[in-house]
Amino acid sequence: MALRVLLSTTLLSSLLSLVLFSAVAAVISGRRGRRTAVGFFHPYTNDGGGGERVLWCFVRAMQEENPDLDRAVFTVDDASPQSLAARALDRFGVKLLRPPQLGYGFSRVLQHSSMYNNDAPIAISWLSWSVGSCAHLAMVNSSWTRSLIDCLWKIPPLTKRVYPPCDTSSLQMLPLGKPVKSPVIISVGQFCPEKAHSLQLEAFAHAVGILDQDMPRPKLQFMGSCRNKQDEERLWKLKERCRELNLDNFVEFHRDASYRDLVQLLCGAVSGLHSMIDEHFGISVVEYMASAVIPIGPKMDIALNEGGRKTGFLASNKEEYTEAILKVITMAEAERLAIAAVVRKCTQRFSEQKFFKDFKAAVQPILAPKSSS
């Protein structure tokens, strides 16, 4: 079986730290008569991040577009195809047509090289440039990512922007109205350093401290996953800091929760925090907006003004986050509902249906059988 198409949902370079789920298609010629296979290079399939959800949506899209095509997911994780398919459904609401085949070799070489070889980052960076510059197709997830890939790989005509898939249809069914007696602010994201959860907690504490006594006390709900012991320690320190700030009654932590739990939390939230700077794309922000949850965070491709109307609040430091939190929880209900309605409307361009349409349009030319001359 000839591996003719390689779709990579993770860049083989230092871009891995940014969790860029750019999809790279490189067509490799095989001998006539061999079958065509598609390989998805995604070293970590159990980190709970947005990139993992995109992986399973890629796999499902390929299953729908080419049912007879062989597919394999290359990973370093020890898991069965059945357990990964079950995880895709439970954690992300993505139902695969059948469990994927798994491959390991190259992924584990990279894993061990990174652990024991100081030159690994240089080698992987060179490999990323080599693979990318030879690609027949590169799919990027945002304008920010596209500018980066254009600079690194220099193949603008072959680079297509395909926004990641977000389950906006079901989230848009959630009510616009939210509980106002105790406003809930949510933060969704892995407990990794770049997500800056500490900044969110400090800003929330400051907002609670200066809020008028006659105003209802807000709650902050953290929801995310831990990839390793470092993330677990970071979560523990976050909880310790919460106790130091006397916020035990106002802050909740939800670790490794299911997609169903996420929907329930979004249903009750009025605002969502996001504090990663220069993120390529934030699926959690789209989930906020589809759920009529007003986003607060750095300037992003996602939260743009819609027809001159506000779709969120920009913030980059503790003071700005504090100010934005206070604005959301003290604004009149009619004003909040008006913003929430505009916010929800903006997410149509990030729907799963739009993703599948754009993805299939991008890969169809390189997967379509070539006519014999």
Side-chain angles (χ1 to χ4, degrees):
M1 181 175 67
L3 182 61
R4 293 184 58 200
V5 181
L6 174 63
L7 296 177
S8 170
T9 57
T10 309
L11 300 178
L12 308 179
S13 68
S14 57
L15 299 180
L16 285 170
S17 63
L18 300 177
V19 200
L20 297 181
F21 33 87
S22 154
V24 180
V27 178
I28 304 174
S29 299
R31 293 203 304 265
R32 188 179 299 274
R34 287 190 175 185
R35 292 182 55 131
T36 297
V38 176
F40 296 86
F41 178 80
H42 198 286
Y44 300 100
T45 55
N46 65 350
D47 60 5
E52 185 184 344
R53 186 177 194 280
V54 175
L55 165 67
W56 300 127
C57 286
F58 271 133
V59 173
R60 189 176 74 182
M62 291 302 302
Q63 289 178 340
E64 293 178 354
E65 181 71 4
N66 300 81
D68 297 328
L69 200 64
D70 290 324
R71 284 160 292 272
V73 175
F74 293 86
T75 177
V76 301
D77 297 320
D78 289 316
S80 68
Q82 291 75 20
S83 66
L84 288 179
R87 174 183 172 82
L89 179 60
D90 177 67
R91 195 67 177 274
F92 303 103
V94 179
K95 185 176 182 179
L96 303 180
L97 304 185
R98 58 180 178 273
Q101 301 176 24
L102 299 181
Y104 301 99
F106 185 53
S107 303
R108 286 185 173 169
V109 168
L110 288 180
Q111 181 191 40
H112 289 293
S113 296
S114 299
M115 291 173 60
Y116 303 113
N117 186 350
N118 292 332
D119 294 329
I122 298 175
I124 294 175
S125 180
W126 176 85
L127 181 59
S128 172
W129 175 84
S130 299
V131 171
S133 59
C134 297
H136 289 69
L137 169 69
M139 280 180 285
V140 297
N141 52 19
S142 68
S143 301
W144 186 90
T145 311
R146 178 162 193 160
S147 64
L148 181 63
I149 293 303
D150 285 346
C151 179
L152 291 175
W153 293 350
K154 304 184 187 307
I155 52 171
L158 303 177
T159 303
K160 310 295 182 183
R161 186 181 66 185
V162 178
Y163 285 126
C166 304
D167 184 17
T168 59
S169 58
S170 62
L171 295 178
Q172 287 177 350
M173 299 297 292
L174 299 178
L176 281 176
K178 308 284 183 174
V180 294
K181 290 185 177 180
S182 181
V184 173
I185 299 170
I186 192 171
S187 172
V188 180
Q190 291 175 324
F191 292 105
C192 50
E194 57 268 25
K195 298 297 184 180
H197 291 95
S198 296
L199 170 62
Q200 299 175 8
L201 180 61
E202 296 295 335
F204 176 78
H206 191 204
V208 171
I210 63 178
L211 190 65
D212 292 341
Q213 290 299 318
D214 59 343
M215 294 294 296
R217 302 293 98 178
K219 287 188 176 181
L220 174 59
Q221 297 174 332
F222 286 109
M223 180 178 179
S225 60
C226 293
R227 306 160 301 172
N228 48 42
K229 291 183 178 179
Q230 288 76 18
D231 285 355
E232 292 176 356
E233 182 179 352
R234 196 170 295 107
L235 175 57
W236 180 84
K237 290 181 178 179
L238 199 63
K239 292 180 178 179
E240 283 294 301
R241 182 55 179 160
C242 181
R243 283 188 281 270
E244 292 174 1
L245 294 169
N246 296 317
L247 291 175
D248 285 351
N249 295 329
F250 304 104
V251 180
E252 300 175 2
F253 295 89
H254 301 264
R255 176 183 170 181
D256 297 330
S258 67
Y259 181 74
R260 180 179 300 177
D261 295 330
L262 170 63
V263 173
Q264 291 178 346
L265 293 178
L266 288 171
C267 184
V270 299
S271 184
L273 299 180
H274 180 79
S275 51
M276 182 173 175
I277 304 297
D278 288 338
E279 186 172 30
H280 45 93
F281 191 91
I283 285 184
S284 62
V285 180
V286 177
E287 291 173 335
Y288 293 163
M289 298 171 72
S291 307
V293 174
I294 300 174
I296 299 174
K299 185 177 181 180
M300 298 164 284
D301 276 359
I302 305 167
L304 301 173
N305 284 349
E306 182 76 9
R309 304 180 69 180
K310 186 180 292 295
T311 61
F313 294 91
L314 299 181
S316 59
N317 54 49
K318 175 183 173 180
E319 290 72 24
E320 292 176 348
Y321 275 96
T322 298
E323 181 181 359
I325 290 172
L326 290 173
K327 283 183 179 179
V328 173
I329 63 179
T330 60
M331 69 171 49
E333 180 69 359
E335 181 184 1
R336 192 196 64 76
L337 289 174
I339 296 177
V342 176
V343 162
R344 172 168 284 173
K345 182 180 179 182
C346 291
T347 61
Q348 294 177 357
R349 64 185 183 274
F350 305 117
S351 67
E352 286 191 348
Q353 293 77 10
K354 185 69 165 59
F355 164 78
F356 288 129
K357 178 181 177 181
D358 293 345
F359 173 79
K360 292 174 182 179
V363 301
Q364 197 277 334
I366 62 173
L367 291 182
K370 294 179 172 55
S371 58
S372 56
S373 56

